[in-house]
Amino acid sequence: MKLTIKNLGPVNSAEIQISPLTIFVGPNNSGKSFTASALYAVLAPIRTPLAVSQPARARRMTRLIGDEVILSVASFLAETIDNTINIDDAPDEFGELFERMTWVMLSEYSFTLIEYIERVFGAPVPDLRRMSKTQHVPGSLLIESKQPNWAIRVKFKASGPDIHLKTPNIRDLWPLMTRRRWSKRARANLESWLGGGPLIRDIMADVQTALFREVPNHTKYLPAARSGLMHSHKVISGSLVRRASYAGIEDMRIPAMSGVVTDFLSELIEIDSSYRSPFYPIARRLEEEVLRGSVHLVETVNSSPEIMFHTNTGDYPLTRTSSMVSELAPVVVYLKRVLREQDLLIIEEPEAHLHPQTQVVLAQILVRLVNSGLKVLITTHSEFFLQQLNNSIVAGSLSEKGAESLSLDSKVTIHASEVSAYLFDPSERGTLVARQELDNRTGVPDIGFDSVSEQLYNQNVELDRRLNAEN
């Protein structure tokens, strides 16, 4: 799936495709967090359960499609054997059903998307347009799927969003559907499939899976402010619960927070301490190699679990731990209790508050996660962090024998084809985001760190020269 941004927030133009490992680099206030939040707003609602139940949704879909179309499709399916359906032999109603169904599903997603965008950024759509010196500039968001081929374009206007859909062709969609149980369902009782019965629900499930096959299972976001939020999430959640009893009795004034922050807090409050993530072993490695302790959840009465840090000297709340521990604690909690395979984890500045050596270890652990089936997107300002990722990319081009000669674990190497890096370059017309060509011998090309190092070195030489002259 590809996301194209035009004139939104600080961004003039950006074209982003999610890779197993995606890296955003660039100066402060250049739009990295804005673009990451936009990606979150686009991806998160796709896997979010709908407010209506599946049977109710199927009944609504049946009304939109029509009983005659569904009966014609069911009759055709009843005469076939599973997985032997030839699309060329199908009646016209077959294509009509899928055309209407994909249009409805993409329309539902579009309207949910608008709600998510406004919630994630805490602002109405018109306010998200990029501001020139005198006025807002018309902006747009384009979401494209390659297989199957569909697109949604949202134009950001002063009057509100304007949505345009491009639905996939049935021939493009057909090979991607499993079609299990369709014929068996149809043969059982044709009439029972009207009104949103099991057949229409089966087809809807297959179509939805095929439509969004390029989307991560779930998308989770760890904001840059996570350290402070980890310290205060119990206070915030407790305050909201206490104030909830006054709802409808007195005016409740709650400070506005972005959707990224509220989703992060909700995740911590509602976390399932009984769930064990497939990335649990890697979380334990992070604890052993970096934290020298463990992060665990302590159940509390009538409240969300308390996050504690355990060492050989005892258990400590995060308010009594170092900034490194409180910074990495949410990463550990997500790896232990939240994430699933093929999820996307967005982490803003994973190197924050970490010593350079710790940054190197964390970069290796992120590569391990990618190689274990987790998609990762990071924003970073760290030369050390990026250099370790570059070393992993270069190591990924070595032969197995070459890697063994250097005692390199294959799980901390990654091929350049699995990585995409984007440079955010601010200009007077807004930030221009460009994908960087990766070199198997060097990894991500110089993105400004070398120029800073050269500037500091030249200044040091000049200071030394001047000092010698004065002495």
Side-chain angles (χ1 to χ4, degrees):
M1 180 176 282
K2 181 169 68 175
L3 176 68
T4 303
I5 298 173
K6 295 286 187 183
N7 293 319
L8 295 179
V11 177
N12 177 298
S13 64
E15 189 175 290
I16 309 293
Q17 279 190 305
I18 297 296
S19 297
L21 176 60
T22 307
I23 307 168
F24 287 177
V25 291
N28 296 110
N29 298 322
S30 58
K32 299 187 298 298
S33 295
F34 180 92
T35 304
S37 296
L39 274 166
Y40 177 73
V42 166
L43 298 174
I46 293 177
R47 305 300 187 194
T48 301
L50 296 172
V52 295
S53 66
Q54 288 302 319
R57 189 179 179 216
R59 287 194 294 271
R60 186 174 66 181
M61 186 74 75
T62 301
R63 289 195 298 270
L64 292 170
I65 293 172
D67 288 349
E68 290 185 5
V69 172
I70 293 175
L71 273 176
S72 177
V73 170
S75 299
F76 171 73
L77 291 174
E79 299 171 0
T80 64
I81 301 174
D82 282 346
N83 300 322
T84 63
I85 303 169
N86 187 339
I87 194 65
D88 293 322
D89 297 334
D92 293 341
E93 288 84 355
F94 211 71
E96 188 176 346
L97 179 144
F98 287 101
E99 181 180 338
R100 294 185 186 181
M101 191 172 285
T102 54
W103 186 88
V104 169
M105 288 185 174
L106 291 177
S107 297
E108 287 178 342
Y109 165 57
S110 299
F111 290 113
T112 306
L113 170 65
I114 299 301
E115 295 175 4
Y116 254 73
I117 289 173
E118 294 189 328
R119 192 177 67 81
V120 163
F121 290 103
V125 163
D127 292 354
L128 296 177
R129 295 170 295 161
R130 185 172 65 83
M131 188 71 180
S132 68
K133 292 181 179 180
T134 58
Q135 60 183 4
H136 282 103
V137 180
S140 66
L141 195 67
L142 176 63
I143 306 160
E144 296 175 280
S145 168
K146 186 176 181 180
Q147 189 179 17
N149 189 353
W150 58 263
I152 298 173
R153 182 185 295 275
V154 181
K155 293 183 178 179
F156 290 61
K157 298 181 175 181
S159 57
D162 187 9
I163 301 172
H164 298 268
L165 302 180
K166 173 190 173 185
T167 58
N169 185 286
I170 186 174
R171 295 183 182 279
D172 190 23
L173 191 68
W174 187 250
L176 306 176
M177 291 185 288
T178 62
R179 304 189 291 278
R180 297 170 184 163
R181 302 189 307 273
W182 287 14
S183 298
K184 184 177 179 180
R185 292 278 199 194
R187 285 195 294 271
N189 186 341
L190 291 183
E191 296 296 333
S192 68
W193 310 133
L194 299 178
L199 176 60
I200 199 70
R201 292 202 295 270
D202 282 349
I203 295 176
M204 284 173 58
D206 271 1
V207 170
Q208 183 154 328
T209 300
L211 270 180
F212 300 113
R213 64 189 301 271
E214 296 182 359
V215 177
N217 284 340
H218 304 90
T219 301
K220 305 296 182 181
Y221 198 118
L222 295 179
R226 59 189 173 273
S227 178
L229 292 170
M230 290 297 285
H231 285 165
S232 59
H233 87 277
K234 291 287 288 185
V235 176
I236 295 172
S237 60
S239 175
L240 290 177
V241 169
R242 286 192 296 273
R243 294 294 298 163
S245 61
Y246 292 96
I249 300 174
E250 62 178 49
D251 183 21
M252 293 181 60
R253 301 187 183 278
I254 300 174
M257 292 183 289
S258 72
V260 166
V261 171
T262 56
D263 284 355
F264 175 66
L265 289 172
S266 297
E267 201 80 61
L268 294 177
I269 294 169
E270 300 169 3
I271 197 163
D272 181 3
S273 57
S274 66
Y275 169 70
R276 180 171 174 141
S277 166
F279 307 110
Y280 192 98
I282 300 180
R284 290 292 298 128
R285 178 184 287 269
L286 177 59
E287 291 175 319
E288 293 168 2
E289 296 184 4
V290 176
L291 297 180
R292 309 297 181 187
S294 62
V295 178
H296 62 102
L297 303 174
V298 177
E299 296 293 338
T300 57
V301 180
N302 298 326
S303 182
S304 60
E306 182 79 32
I307 300 172
M308 302 290 288
F309 181 59
H310 174 77
T311 70
N312 56 11
T313 62
D315 289 353
Y316 302 93
L318 294 183
T319 52
R320 293 176 55 195
T321 62
S322 69
S323 58
M324 177 194 73
V325 172
S326 57
E327 192 71 33
L328 290 181
V331 178
V332 173
V333 170
Y334 271 54
L335 293 180
K336 281 184 170 182
R337 303 297 180 190
V338 175
L339 295 166
R340 291 168 167 78
E341 288 184 1
Q342 299 307 314
D343 282 358
L344 169 64
L345 177 63
I346 301 174
I347 314 177
E348 287 192 67
E349 300 174 25
E351 74 278 2
H353 303 296
L354 304 186
H355 184 277
Q357 181 58 44
T358 306
Q359 294 181 30
V360 168
V361 176
L362 181 58
Q364 292 174 330
I365 285 175
L366 290 184
V367 174
R368 284 183 181 275
L369 289 169
V370 172
N371 288 328
S372 299
L374 180 69
K375 298 181 188 299
V376 176
L377 184 152
I378 63 167
T379 70
T380 183
H381 294 288
S382 170
E383 182 178 9
F384 301 106
F385 200 88
L386 190 61
Q387 184 57 58
Q388 177 55 52
L389 292 178
N390 283 343
N391 287 350
S392 294
I393 293 170
V394 176
S397 299
L398 291 176
S399 65
E400 185 176 345
K401 185 176 180 180
E404 288 177 354
S405 67
L406 296 174
S407 301
L408 280 174
D409 185 345
S410 62
K411 293 181 180 179
V412 296
T413 69
I414 188 169
H415 196 271
S417 62
E418 301 287 290
V419 184
S420 59
Y422 294 88
L423 175 61
F424 286 65
D425 184 16
S427 71
E428 291 186 358
R429 298 181 295 109
T431 296
L432 302 174
V433 183
R435 182 165 182 166
Q436 305 297 288
E437 293 296 328
L438 299 189
D439 186 339
N440 287 335
R441 292 185 173 273
T442 59
V444 180
D446 173 38
I447 45 80
F449 293 149
D450 286 354
S451 61
V452 175
S453 299
E454 183 179 355
Q455 180 184 355
L456 290 172
Y457 174 78
N458 290 339
Q459 186 183 49
N460 181 262
V461 170
E462 185 60 34
L463 286 169
D464 187 62
R465 184 184 297 120
R466 189 65 57 86
L467 186 62
N468 288 335
E470 291 182 1
N471 290 336

